[in-house]
Amino acid sequence: MQYIRSIIFNILMYLWMPVVGLAYLPFAIASPEGARAGCTAYARSTIWLLEKVVGLRCEIRGQAPSGGVLIAAKHQSFLDILLIWVAIPRGFFIMKSILKFAPILGQYALRLGCIPVERGKRSEAIKKMLGEVRSGKRDDGQLMIYPQGTRVDPGRHLPYKVGTYALYDQLGQACVPVATNVGVFWPKRGLLRKPGVAVVEFMEPIPPGLNRTAFMALMEQRVEEGSNALMVEAGFPAERLPGMAEVAAGS
């Protein structure tokens, strides 16, 4: 029965996306705020559908940032994107340059202030963004990045990429680590969506000015320890989590 509910939810989620996208497209073209409103409407309605159809309730913990910061988040499924998005006022991403040509999606991304970059030219794009912020051509906001570069299943560990430090160093802003357990309920692969409480948690910010070694170690520690604690809370076996087996054995 849960599998049938999951299939129904997935069908509704993907059918609803172009409906909202087209409905808000004139507003998105007219104003960045129109694009933001459309994305928020889709995210909130999808989260509502998730609880009503699948029985998966969502929760946001910690202090979501409102000023200009870098957000470094654990990425386990599409759901953590939605939850972070609805929690912050002015989020945007670095995206592959080719995506700006995608129908509807590209228009929304550009209107939101996402930064299209070509391979090897991220530094140039960040410098341009910083110049636009200083000159008043664009608002500051919350730049979101996934330090491991892809979705990571619970129980698996991938290295954290140093590109996150490059952004942190160039921006000169604090970095807010974000932990999550959404992969326990909405896995990277497959259609099944499980009932429970999916959480994203904004952790203590890392102040600007740290060197690469100190920053990378602290960011990974906060994201991993926070995510592990949330996954154990959700019922995921501690012994299957990297670094938690010893804790479980000693408890």
Side-chain angles (χ1 to χ4, degrees):
M1 188 63 177
Q2 190 65 30
Y3 197 82
I4 294 174
R5 290 176 179 172
S6 300
I7 292 174
I8 293 171
F9 165 76
N10 280 284
I11 291 172
L12 292 174
M13 179 184 73
Y14 288 114
L15 289 177
W16 186 234
M17 185 181 292
V19 171
V20 176
L22 289 171
Y24 277 86
L25 188 57
F27 305 102
I29 294 173
S31 165
E33 293 308 310
R36 195 168 302 280
C39 292
T40 300
Y42 176 74
R44 291 190 183 279
S45 55
T46 300
I47 292 168
W48 180 84
L49 275 174
L50 191 60
E51 180 176 357
K52 299 304 178 184
V53 177
V54 177
L56 177 54
R57 185 167 62 84
C58 296
E59 185 175 312
I60 297 168
R61 298 179 186 173
Q63 182 64 49
S66 58
V69 296
L70 177 65
I71 292 177
K74 186 77 171 179
H75 189 23
Q76 294 183 334
S77 77
F78 183 48
L79 181 55
D80 53 65
I81 298 176
L82 298 179
L83 292 178
I84 294 171
W85 179 263
V86 300
I88 57 178
R90 306 195 65 80
F92 62 101
F93 297 87
I94 291 176
M95 68 180 191
K96 294 179 181 178
S97 184
I98 195 171
L99 289 178
K100 66 184 179 183
F101 300 110
I104 302 179
L105 175 63
Q107 183 63 51
Y108 271 86
L110 292 175
R111 296 302 281 160
L112 289 170
C114 294
I115 307 169
V117 296
E118 298 178 13
R119 185 182 298 273
K121 295 185 178 180
R122 176 184 293 181
S123 179
E124 294 179 17
I126 293 297
K127 289 178 181 177
K128 180 182 177 182
M129 182 200 77
L130 291 174
E132 290 175 349
V133 170
R134 295 187 187 107
S135 67
K137 291 182 179 180
R138 70 178 289 160
D139 294 327
D140 209 351
Q142 299 82 46
L143 175 59
M144 294 181 280
I145 188 170
Y146 296 102
Q148 291 170 292
T150 187
R151 293 170 296 170
V152 181
D153 291 319
R156 188 182 177 205
H157 184 268
L158 290 180
Y160 281 63
K161 299 183 177 182
V162 296
T164 306
Y165 173 75
L167 289 175
Y168 164 82
D169 185 50
Q170 291 175 49
L171 290 169
Q173 297 174 333
C175 174
V176 178
V178 177
T180 189
N181 67 2
V182 300
V184 175
F185 308 101
W186 182 325
K188 179 179 177 179
R189 296 180 180 85
L191 297 174
L192 183 63
R193 309 288 180 256
K194 302 174 184 178
V197 181
V199 180
V200 295
E201 183 172 2
F202 292 88
M203 314 299 288
E204 182 182 350
I206 299 172
L210 297 186
N211 63 38
R212 187 177 75 177
T213 301
F215 170 78
M216 292 298 295
L218 187 55
M219 176 189 62
E220 180 171 352
Q221 177 188 17
R222 289 185 180 172
V223 173
E224 288 298 307
E225 289 183 357
S227 296
N228 285 347
L230 291 175
M231 286 187 280
V232 170
E233 178 185 315
F236 194 82
E239 60 271 15
R240 290 178 54 191
L241 293 169
M244 290 290 287
E246 297 82 358
V247 175
S251 61

